Amino acid sequence: VLNTVKHALEANMLSPVIGDFKRFDAPKMDSSDVVRDILINNFDHERKSDVLNGRLFDDSSTQQIRVIAQVANSYIIAENDEGLILIDQHAAHERVRYERLMESLQKEEALSQPLLIPLKLDLGADSYRLIKENMEDFILMGFEIEDFGGSTFILRSVPAGLDKKDTEKIIKEMIADITKEWKENHVKNLREVLLTYTACRGAVKFGDKLSLIEMESLLKDMQKTKNSSHCPHGRPSTINLTFSNLDVLFKRKNFKL
């Protein structure tokens, strides 16, 4: 995240949400190392874990979070009364989708979207067997799928978020990946694997350009989502930098000529 922000600032890649920046000459320094040093050494003990784990999105947070910009069509920069928040848009949206899908599974209320034109999927023998043996899990996840014979299925509905222009490609790749994991790792809890892949493949991608409204909507969803500081795979989705820490970064505090 920090390298991307550094690169974007140096290359004028910030989204038009905050306007144009003028280049300026500055002493050569490795900003990434400086920021990491701040994260490790300059936070008080109680706040350090909050900064590294993005705790400003937990259930107790009532602060208003304002979008500033999107960087490199991959990261969102936001602010609140304490400082800046750096957000990995894919990891954040993946967690939001995961929790919504999990809730729908627990209630047995699938978040399903009918396809305008049903898809005929020839998936191969292994994937065919995977779906046949775990049809209930696919239906609970929001897939409306029926056996067409051979190694082919007819797909009529998909989980919400997978109904995109390249739905067939997304579904085939997802099922192929799940089949590979199912065979190689002898997966017993396929429902969890299916949940994780469905959340991931339907999430905003790294590199997707987002409008201001879309970014604001994602941040609002994060504030209502459990465990939003990390994606389902365990990667952080947010990093927080207080204004005090930024003062140290820019040597406005504890700096001697």
Side-chain angles (χ1 to χ4, degrees):
V1 175
L2 303 174
N3 285 330
T4 301
V5 172
K6 172 192 171 187
H7 173 67
L9 289 171
E10 292 174 346
N12 272 344
M13 291 171 60
L14 282 175
S15 166
V17 172
I18 60 174
D20 296 328
F21 282 79
K22 294 182 179 180
R23 298 291 295 253
F24 60 90
D25 294 327
K28 294 294 183 179
M29 60 187 297
D30 191 332
S31 300
S32 300
D33 289 343
V34 173
V35 174
R36 285 193 179 90
D37 182 66
I38 288 176
L39 290 174
I40 295 172
N41 299 315
N42 292 288
F43 286 76
D44 61 77
H45 178 73
E46 292 183 358
R47 290 291 296 163
K48 185 184 295 184
S49 62
D50 288 354
V51 171
L52 295 175
N53 294 320
R55 298 276 175 82
L56 295 185
F57 281 100
D58 65 16
D59 293 337
S60 63
S61 176
T62 59
Q63 297 189 51
Q64 181 180 2
I65 301 175
R66 300 168 290 277
V67 172
I68 299 175
Q70 183 187 34
V71 178
N73 292 340
S74 300
Y75 298 100
I76 297 171
I77 301 179
E79 68 170 339
N80 62 11
D81 293 339
E82 294 187 12
L84 295 180
I85 307 168
L86 309 180
I87 301 152
D88 179 326
Q89 65 188 37
H90 174 72
H93 194 215
E94 185 178 4
R95 169 57 73 180
V96 170
R97 282 183 48 77
Y98 180 91
E99 294 297 335
R100 286 180 177 175
L101 288 167
M102 174 67 79
E103 183 179 356
S104 70
L105 274 176
Q106 292 172 344
K107 294 180 178 179
E108 296 187 359
E109 298 174 353
L111 299 175
S112 188
Q113 179 65 45
L115 298 175
L116 291 176
I117 302 176
L119 294 175
K120 184 178 179 181
L121 303 176
D122 187 352
L123 301 173
D126 289 333
S127 293
Y128 177 82
R129 185 165 64 90
L130 167 74
I131 295 175
K132 284 288 288 184
E133 293 180 6
N134 300 277
M135 182 67 79
E136 181 181 355
D137 289 337
F138 279 87
I139 293 174
L140 286 173
M141 194 62 63
F143 291 92
E144 183 183 348
I145 190 167
E146 62 183 68
D147 192 347
F148 194 70
S151 59
T152 303
F153 288 96
I154 300 295
L155 184 64
R156 302 188 183 280
S157 297
V158 296
L162 294 183
D163 51 320
K164 302 179 179 181
K165 290 182 180 179
D166 51 354
T167 298
E168 182 173 0
K169 181 174 182 288
I170 291 173
I171 296 298
K172 283 185 173 181
E173 290 179 350
M174 187 179 84
I175 292 177
D177 289 343
I178 294 174
T179 301
K180 182 179 179 181
E181 186 167 341
W182 181 58
K183 289 180 61 181
E184 293 180 356
N185 300 325
H186 306 289
V187 173
K188 294 182 179 180
N189 186 1
L190 185 73
R191 186 172 299 182
E192 174 64 26
V193 175
L194 184 58
L195 173 63
T196 301
Y197 273 93
T198 302
C200 179
R201 297 305 170 89
V204 168
K205 300 304 179 196
F206 208 66
D208 285 351
K209 185 173 180 60
L210 302 179
S211 68
L212 177 59
I213 293 176
E214 289 172 327
M215 289 187 279
E216 289 176 338
S217 177
L218 176 56
L219 265 60
K220 288 178 182 177
D221 287 341
M222 290 179 70
Q223 287 184 292
K224 297 182 290 185
T225 300
K226 295 185 298 183
N227 306 313
S228 63
S229 62
H230 289 79
C231 77
H233 307 290
R235 293 190 303 105
S237 59
T238 64
I239 292 178
N240 303 323
L241 292 171
T242 68
F243 290 125
S244 176
N245 304 132
L246 290 172
D247 286 342
V248 175
L249 171 64
F250 287 104
K251 299 187 183 299
R252 300 186 68 86
K253 289 185 177 180
N254 305 321
F255 177 67
K256 297 180 181 180
L257 294 174

